[in-house]
Amino acid sequence: MVRELSHFVDGELRAGTSGEFSDVFNPSTGEIAARVPLASHSEVAAAISTAEEAQHEWGALNPQRRARVLMRFLRLIERDIDELAEMLSREHGKTLADSKGDVQRGVEVIEFALGAPHLLKGEYSTNAGSDGIDVYSMRQPLGVVAGITPFNFPAMIPLWKMGPALAAGNAFILKPSERDPSVPLHLAQLLTEAGLPDGVLQVLNGDKRAVDAILTDKRVQAVGFVGSTPIARYIYETAAANGKRAQCFGGAKNHMIVMPDADLDQAADALVGAGYGSAGERCMAISVAVPVGKATADALAAKLTERVKQLRVGDTHDERADYGPLITRDAVDRVTHYIEAGVEEGASLLVDGRGLTVEGFEEGFYLGPSLFDYVTTDMSVYRDEVFGPVLFIARAATYEEALRLPSEHDYGNGVSIFTRDGDTARDFAARVNVGMVGVNVPIPVPIAYHTFGGWKESGFGDLNQHGPDSFRFYTKTKTVTSRWPSGIKEGASFVIPTMQ
Amino acid sequence: MVRELSHFVDGELRAGTSGEFSDVFNPSTGEIAARVPLASHSEVAAAISTAEEAQHEWGALNPQRRARVLMRFLRLIERDIDELAEMLSREHGKTLADSKGDVQRGVEVIEFALGAPHLLKGEYSTNAGSDGIDVYSMRQPLGVVAGITPFNFPAMIPLWKMGPALAAGNAFILKPSERDPSVPLHLAQLLTEAGLPDGVLQVLNGDKRAVDAILTDKRVQAVGFVGSTPIARYIYETAAANGKRAQCFGGAKNHMIVMPDADLDQAADALVGAGYGSAGERCMAISVAVPVGKATADALAAKLTERVKQLRVGDTHDERADYGPLITRDAVDRVTHYIEAGVEEGASLLVDGRGLTVEGFEEGFYLGPSLFDYVTTDMSVYRDEVFGPVLFIARAATYEEALRLPSEHDYGNGVSIFTRDGDTARDFAARVNVGMVGVNVPIPVPIAYHTFGGWKESGFGDLNQHGPDSFRFYTKTKTVTSRWPSGIKEGASFVIPTMQ
Amino acid sequence: MVRELSHFVDGELRAGTSGEFSDVFNPSTGEIAARVPLASHSEVAAAISTAEEAQHEWGALNPQRRARVLMRFLRLIERDIDELAEMLSREHGKTLADSKGDVQRGVEVIEFALGAPHLLKGEYSTNAGSDGIDVYSMRQPLGVVAGITPFNFPAMIPLWKMGPALAAGNAFILKPSERDPSVPLHLAQLLTEAGLPDGVLQVLNGDKRAVDAILTDKRVQAVGFVGSTPIARYIYETAAANGKRAQCFGGAKNHMIVMPDADLDQAADALVGAGYGSAGERCMAISVAVPVGKATADALAAKLTERVKQLRVGDTHDERADYGPLITRDAVDRVTHYIEAGVEEGASLLVDGRGLTVEGFEEGFYLGPSLFDYVTTDMSVYRDEVFGPVLFIARAATYEEALRLPSEHDYGNGVSIFTRDGDTARDFAARVNVGMVGVNVPIPVPIAYHTFGGWKESGFGDLNQHGPDSFRFYTKTKTVTSRWPSGIKEGASFVIPTMQ
Amino acid sequence: MVRELSHFVDGELRAGTSGEFSDVFNPSTGEIAARVPLASHSEVAAAISTAEEAQHEWGALNPQRRARVLMRFLRLIERDIDELAEMLSREHGKTLADSKGDVQRGVEVIEFALGAPHLLKGEYSTNAGSDGIDVYSMRQPLGVVAGITPFNFPAMIPLWKMGPALAAGNAFILKPSERDPSVPLHLAQLLTEAGLPDGVLQVLNGDKRAVDAILTDKRVQAVGFVGSTPIARYIYETAAANGKRAQCFGGAKNHMIVMPDADLDQAADALVGAGYGSAGERCMAISVAVPVGKATADALAAKLTERVKQLRVGDTHDERADYGPLITRDAVDRVTHYIEAGVEEGASLLVDGRGLTVEGFEEGFYLGPSLFDYVTTDMSVYRDEVFGPVLFIARAATYEEALRLPSEHDYGNGVSIFTRDGDTARDFAARVNVGMVGVNVPIPVPIAYHTFGGWKESGFGDLNQHGPDSFRFYTKTKTVTSRWPSGIKEGASFVIPTMQ
């Protein structure tokens, strides 16, 4: 008998009623860990109704009181951190340390959202226009908003979405990945324990039907999404066609430029961590290493080969493991096909991770680390997001060529450069056509109080995630222009008529 | 021989090559004043190419230098203000005073855009994340952006769009209304005279084909629109489907609540100005008066009737005219049909403006002022935007009923309340579900350094026009995370390898 | 044997070494509750040395880590709230409910200070000046800063000062009032428990010698003060003469205008609460009621008289008490002399609070509530801050006269107006020459994320307390202008010389 | 007969009435160019009275209208730029190109001040505290404020002070240097021509008596100063003792660190420009070169010696001159004494500029360029500000020693580092204890929209010059807390009583 998960609606776990389910695996063992109900259109609609109702009081609360609920929520996450990490690792497969990091990066956005009272301030101008006219603005909550989040960060991305949305006074509909729904469900329970009124956060599990139910419901004012680019495009377009605001973050192909003056050991260490960590299933993973000049490339390839061969793949409880299984068997197959394609397209396979078996976990979704050299821009393995434990070396003869690679790639999420030279770093940061830049930092995820957002095919919409932008996305501006006719202060005696 | 207008491309007026034209009328006389070329897909594509090229240098300029071009532009507008007003009135039909106001409200946004160097600042955090890590952000121009603007403010809306877009370092493609294109063309010439590099502003006249050419061109990063709601929806959806950012402002049905304690003469004056000014062809025109209580309603209806009967309609050179012709014969017919519908639906027509002829201008597109009482929410004249010189009285028994009317209307652009009572004004401003609110101000257009944006069917997107939001819309955030390996400061002697 | 208090230095309570002490009374009983050591010049100097040392690491910490210490501090205050309130009431005399409010208003500023990572951001401009030049700013901590705080809010004001100062990365020297030092000492212990490194917060008890030791020490970069105006002036001047920055908040004489259209019961309730709460020992207490017009004044005087006569004075544990004892016997005498002066100067004493004895607490420092009518601007009781349970009615014939009273008074801390009329409220708020304005709010203390500061003789310096200003006060701006010579990116091979 | 200058009061040039005068020299020729009246206490008091009167209307104007006056002012400066430069050079002695730069850097702050409408916005919070409470803030002008400005930038510093002060709605009292008062007087006339109401800007020439008259006048709310540190201290202390806000900027000893990896030719060029430009009479001049390592020092000393020997000193009309005369004969003597002291103290005089005569201008106040090597921290020439054409080389063995030099110097105005290394630049910018930092930029004056302010003995007060800080300095915050009793919206019929 497989365990059956539920939705979280109106302050409580609630069984699905559609009769449809999806299997949730334990990627470390390959076993089915649970099954999750898929919400029907009417379940989504009902949850939105409750949310709409609940939002009125929540949105009218002064923002410091809302922030205090989040402050209590932080304490409860701290209390349950081990349980959350275990739950996350079991369904996702990442190492326990990585799972704690997943929760922690989400926590930081909740910490940022504690500043809601300040971040929600409008502007006030007196004597604007002409004498006696005041103009001021308020940022009001949108009402019911939604987040559709991916499997690879089942704690972080839901927290990034719900933190600012709730702090700003909205009700929030979360449709987490059906691959690893337990952590979002637990977070919802913690929020209720922290004092969030029932109905303000609704977690609905589901597939495309649930997504479409959200996208076409007129009462949902905004949708935030993180996932692959085709789905990001679909959601951006469909949300817009339904008059909503949307911010949709998609795939990536993050490059790391290694200049001849870089410390190559440092660069190689960074590449291995950023390329294979979490089995490469991160939108900010480094996928392409770009050494500049032949000498740099040869040395870097050698150092990488040595390091990659020593990587240890293990189940989530293996404390010495560098990374764990992929999310599904399909994912293993997809990445394997890309490795084959890389070989066929003529890239040089320095390390081959195919066919790995982890002892005692023979049915787990494991894949060893692969490393390619001499990858070129015409290859599918260069153009596509592989999303697995594969690192590609694309050699550049000069800095300008290296700069062009990420700038001209369809994706524009993150990019990094390793150099000691101030000029090179500055020129690169200013000119590269990518949204998030690292200088001697392999994974340039901005801290919570700055904002996260890729460019080109990696991001759609005009406001980023977390940081001040997130409060702009989840609120609407109301502007008031005010003037008063002369009244009681002149000493006039007037009688106010009654209304019929 | 009718005068033939042109496009403005690469710093000069350029004749159309598609062979297709649209007539530009003089609404005061009904005559064809000129004909305007309609750009083909390839003309649009070529203009975008030139713009893309020109943007690189413009975008790299320090923002104070860009602001100085706008400062010279302001001087030239001041120099040509009479010519611009004449040109505007001739093609649009509004009075000369109104045309000057049209230019002036645009000028104010250019004045605001002079603050670009300050408004484009990013944020800087030191020792973020962990020791020695800095995180900072830049706001970079998007590249080529576009504006599609309506006939009713041929100076103001183009200036609202191009001011922040250019100040932020973008190249700008303007597709103005084909009804009154001369003013935008003249403004483009003034910008060139002011020192704007060729190609940075391109004005392309056209119809839906030009619009679609803009919307589907991958190089156009963002589209700003003002016009009717169906077109706003179309552009928002199509821009999104093409991965662009968009802000689209649509129609309106602006209410003005008149409380029993209001000064009724003041309220009646305000209603007449805001209802009939510019023949009601303003998205911020007041279209529905909502007196609260029977006594208020009866008194207000009487005061309005008296005033509306005295309104003078005349050609644009008639200095005593309160308003001039509508934009086209079609517009006159459309509004006339609404008046007929209002009568049929059971509203009470207190003043009937149909059938007006202005002596000496018998072929002009005139329509006298109409006033309806007892309009109810089920009538088409209440639900639809009429966009003509017609004011509707919708009576409310109580304040709560009056608050519900604009809150529940599909449109949510502007709304106003007239009262002396602080409590009522505050409650109304806080609760009404409309984006721009006036308190004893009939037309609550926020000043240029605050932002303009309606809610619900009146606005699509998450960032408003002018004010700080406009700089957010026309720029993208790049976030840099930076750390340095220990270098020369430790006294190390190291040799930087050469590149092969 | 009287209990002996201590200082708090380098993470622990530390006995005084000067051999000098001051008595701490329990105002409810009149007994000596403890004695507090008075720090010598050398004790202050030593504490500053430790603080200077401790600040380096604290200031270099990333601000989110500092905020987390404050977050834990909030939990500990919540845990100890009853103990803190009891401690506060015992030494100050205010009611327990009032003591909890004292702590709570301080807590809110700590909550605000959690936003430090965002509030400490500098600005970043790229391509400023000319091509390739970047300009950016950081807000760095000042180093060692100090706060000198008054007896009347022994929790709130220290928290207002230390919260932003510590969050910004400074070490903080607190010299609390020697009348009620136990609460600040306990708060310091809680901060240590919350993880604040030793030495970052030092609490030194003392009198003028300790103050002067702080003011003349070159290592103290900034001083924040709240207290009486003569001392505020002295500290502002002395700090400036020693090159420090200073923000000094002094006395008050807060007026409340009552317009004829106000709800007089509401106004009278508000006046009684704001006038007699905490025995009038609040810088934001209302001291002068200004009814406009004779009818208003007569009615208000009657309503006040009735209410004031019913006020109950009791010891801090009397749950039905409206207020408790004054801080010292001297304070009772000083206020009593003002009541005598009021009578002599010709004001009309409607209620006489002199000579009150509380049964069972005959030695306590009690004073009954007094109410004067017909107070005029030439009287000392109008000009001076009385700081006791006395309310003065100063009648105004017109609104303009009422507006002039607070505007022309030497003090300019807070002021309030009660009216229903939007025009009057707006005109008053815009024109009154006072720093904090209430509209139908008797005690206009701004919330923590806005800022607190009086004008004229009530405040010296250019930055306010709490809100964003507090982070500006406790940090200094460093601005960097950066450009890079062409380097490794051009492919140059160069050898970096070694240093001799 | 020497030309007699005047004051500028109430919109016109006005002769002095004190009967006391000071000579204004032409430093190029040594001749007396004019004499300037020294204002008496009563002249100052009268000017303040007029200013106080004029401020009311100016302060109540909407800020965009004030900005338009400044926009016209910019046009007039552009028109008169040659005349202003000639006037400035004649009285100051700097080259014409340098004089134009002096005006231009002032113009940039006026350009920044055009953003006043945005920069003066307050903050607005709705539902703060508890339901129905709004809190908002306004930034109101201070009233009458003053600026006391130095001889070395007679256009720039007055413009830095008056631009934000006037844009914020204050009246401004300018006490320019009595050495070169003609440019400030001309600027005042241009402002009047631009539409500034009479009395809003008053220019009073004078000496310490005028300064004291300003400092002790209760009606002056704030004083901005730039000059030497002893005077800055005096003004800061005296202003504070009189309850005013003050920002006082003093002397400097700016170091430039030259790292071994720097381009030494570039560094040497930068040092010569920054060290001798304007005869070294700039608070941002580089005075101390700090080469790191013996090899760097030897090479740099050689390059500097060669360049310094080729510097050309000439009168202001000599287009080939690198710099002109000093401001007075006293200044020449003072700098000469420092050169003698340097020799006596044991520094090595590589180039001796004493005794220079410029042909045809034998009475001019000229001094040739001097260069010292082996300067150490115990020498007076290292500790004191010399303010003349002398550059000192202080050798450092390591980076850490080089970092300590400016960090431990009493002055903390500007500092610069030349390096190619990102790590070194970042570490230096983060750690150096100086307010304005240049990275490969010799004179790190921040652009107008950032802020200017030195640390330690170079700056007193908590808000900087220009940039957003300047608007904070010249305004005071008023915070309003507002709530409304239920009124007309409930349908209540109430009669408002009349006032007696």
Side-chain angles (χ1 to χ4, degrees), chain B residues 425-465:
Chain B
R426 191 272 172 196
D427 186 82
F428 185 76
R431 288 171 60 204
V432 70
N433 189 18
V434 170
M436 293 176 282
V437 182
V439 173
N440 297 306
V441 169
I443 304 188
V445 182
I447 40 173
Y449 44 102
H450 282 257
T451 80
F452 183 107
W455 291 2
K456 296 184 285 185
E457 296 291 301
S458 297
F460 303 96
D462 43 25
L463 289 170
N464 279 355
Q465 289 184 106

Side-chain angles (χ1 to χ4, degrees), chain D residues 55-74:
Chain D
Q55 190 272 332
H56 292 116
E57 203 179 338
W58 177 247
L61 215 58
N62 99 50
Q64 189 61 60
R65 288 179 196 277
R66 294 198 300 256
R68 285 178 191 144
V69 172
L70 294 184
M71 226 184 299
R72 285 190 293 268
F73 181 43
L74 287 172

Side-chain angles (χ1 to χ4, degrees), chain A residues 244 295 420 432 462 478 486, chain B residues 236 420 432 462 478 486 500:
Chain A
K244 301 186 196 320
R420 296 172 183 280
V432 69
D462 43 25
K478 183 185 275 181
S486 178
Chain B
Y236 188 60
R420 297 171 182 281
V432 70
D462 43 25
K478 183 184 278 180
S486 178
Q500 286 77 36

Side-chain angles (χ1 to χ4, degrees), chain D residues 2 58 76 93 112 121 129 201-202 219 233 241 270 285 396 431 433:
Chain D
V2 73
W58 177 247
L76 298 174
F112 167 72
K121 283 174 182 166
L201 173 66
Q202 315 275 59
R219 298 165 301 174
R233 280 191 160 281
R431 289 170 60 204
N433 189 18

